[in-house]
Each structure stands twice: as C-alpha cells, then as structure tokens.
Amino acid sequence: MTSAVVSQPAATTVAVRAEEVTKIYGIGEAAVRALNNITVEFAAGHYTAIMGPSGSGKSTLLHCLAGLDRVTAGRIMLGDIEITACSEKELTVVRRDKIGFVFQSYNLIPTLTAIENITLPLALAGKKPDKQWLDRVIKTVGLADRLKHRPSELSGGQQQRVAVARALASRPQVVTDLGQTIVMVTHDPVAAGYSDRVVFLADGKIVDELQNPTAETVIDRVKDIGE
C-alpha cells in the first residue's frame, strides 16, 4: 500500500522540512502521540520512501508535510513557506498550486473521463493546463489511448496512473526525470528500493535511514526494526 505527495520546486535545496513536529490525537488518557518531536527534511529533486510498522506515524507525517493535517507543535516548511502558519484559505491555495497527491484509493471522480480527472485541479483553480507539459506527463504514464475512458472502464493500474498524472499536471516539485520531488509512504520493500532514501519510523519517531536502498537492504532493515 502506497501513498505519495508531490510538491513544486522551491528556491531552496530542501523541498519540505519538519522541525520538532509533534502530533497528538485526542485528549487526556485517550491521547495518542502519533508524532513525537520529529525533525526531518526532504531534498528537492529526490525520491524518499517513509516506512514503519502500522501505527508508527508515517501516514500522519505525510499528511502533516502536505498540509492535510495540522501539527500540535513544531512547524512544517514547504520550500520557503511555513505551512503551519497558514490560514485554511492560504493552505488551500498552497495545496492546489504547490502539492500534488496520489491517494491510496486514487480518489478519481467516477463521472469524469481520465483527462477530465487529470486536469480537474487546474480547472478548479481556473487555470489552463500547459499543453506541452501535460502531453509529456500523459506520455510518461502511458495513458494516451485511455484519456476518454471513465474510471470504471480502466484497470486498477490505469486508475493509479491517472492519479499520478493528476498529481503532476500542475507542475509540482517531486519526481527526478520530471524535475520533481517525491515523498511516499509504503510497506513495500520493492517500491522503497526504487527510492533515493528510506526513512524509518517507529512509535512516532525516526529510528533509522537508508541511502541508495535496494529491496534486499530495505528488507534487512525492516526486520531489524520490526515492520
């Protein structure tokens, strides 16, 4: 199971950074500390996988990095923008213009065609797609012959590629060949093996990192951590 966030390139060499971030759900005895004083950064133009046991905080970290969830303490910097200081209206604009999402369930609109789903965020923002960029994205994900099909007429893999193309359509900042930056949550060592770096979480904390991973080195590290 994987999910990813794609954000647009910033002037800095760091695409997104978490500084002493804590996230607590609930209050009192029912409180759950999903993230515990995490500091981590993700380099622009790099592909990073986040791994850890269920309940380790990896999805919470991704949601906070993307501005989908508010932190309890600490701050998140998306390039030069402190998204933890943004209002809800400002966050909406940042997510629309700077970040592309690939959700685990894809979140495609069933009544829209593939191309309509791909360009929907741009349409909602009142923007026209960059045709040259859009054509390149569609060619890259191999959907040129499926653009007029609705999600129910597409395979699971094709629906996933529509979601990826939608995330890239607004020219975000994350995927090496296209000059972007990817942060992905996954339990799959093979998927993580394609990344430049793997960050491992456990109990809301970063417990290890792995540079230039392979599926085999990821599996070995996961065994040590207890994925």
Side-chain angles (χ1 to χ4, degrees):
M1 299 188 295
T2 64
S3 56
V5 55
V6 184
S7 63
Q8 289 187 345
T12 62
T13 57
V14 176
V16 61
R17 179 172 69 253
E19 299 177 356
E20 299 181 346
V21 166
T22 293
K23 175 63 180 180
I24 300 173
Y25 293 103
I27 58 175
E29 294 183 359
V32 175
R33 189 175 292 262
L35 298 177
N36 190 0
N37 199 36
I38 281 182
T39 295
V40 63
E41 61 184 36
F42 301 89
H46 285 242
Y47 173 14
T48 305
I50 301 175
M51 300 189 74
S54 295
S56 62
K58 54 190 181 297
S59 293
T60 300
L61 176 59
L62 186 69
H63 290 168
C64 289
L65 292 173
L68 291 173
D69 204 351
R70 293 283 191 177
V71 305
T72 304
R75 68 175 190 163
I76 304 288
M77 298 295 297
L78 180 66
D80 297 323
I81 302 170
E82 184 181 349
I83 64 173
T84 38
C86 290
S87 66
E88 287 302 323
K89 184 176 181 180
E90 290 168 337
L91 258 184
T92 298
V93 174
V94 169
R95 287 193 298 258
R96 185 190 68 200
D97 294 346
K98 301 290 185 181
I99 303 172
F101 307 96
V102 183
F103 294 98
Q104 185 172 316
S105 58
Y106 314 143
N107 287 7
L108 303 181
I109 307 300
T111 56
L112 300 183
T113 64
I115 188 62
E116 289 169 340
N117 269 286
I118 291 169
T119 58
L120 179 61
L122 291 169
L124 292 174
K127 298 180 179 179
K128 290 185 178 180
D130 179 329
K131 187 177 186 307
Q132 185 176 2
W133 171 259
L134 186 61
D135 288 346
R136 184 181 179 191
V137 168
I138 289 169
K139 181 179 180 181
T140 299
V141 298
L143 284 171
D145 61 342
R146 309 296 288 176
L147 294 179
K148 294 183 179 180
H149 292 73
R150 290 184 171 84
S152 62
E153 301 169 317
L154 301 173
S155 68
Q158 289 167 339
Q159 291 180 40
Q160 185 177 48
R161 281 181 275 155
V162 171
V164 170
R166 180 179 59 190
L168 292 170
S170 60
R171 277 197 108 122
Q173 162 187 333
V174 189
V175 175
T176 54
D177 285 348
L178 301 177
Q180 314 295 292
T181 310
I182 298 175
V183 182
M184 175 184 71
V185 165
T186 184
H187 286 277
D188 185 351
V190 175
Y194 286 102
S195 68
D196 300 306
R197 169 189 176 217
V198 182
V199 174
F200 297 91
L201 268 68
D203 298 324
K205 298 181 179 180
I206 294 174
V207 294
D208 207 349
E209 290 191 14
L210 187 61
Q211 299 288 340
N212 302 313
T214 65
E216 290 75 19
T217 58
V218 172
I219 289 171
D220 289 341
R221 197 63 57 89
V222 163
K223 288 178 180 177
D224 291 339
I225 295 172
E227 168 75 271

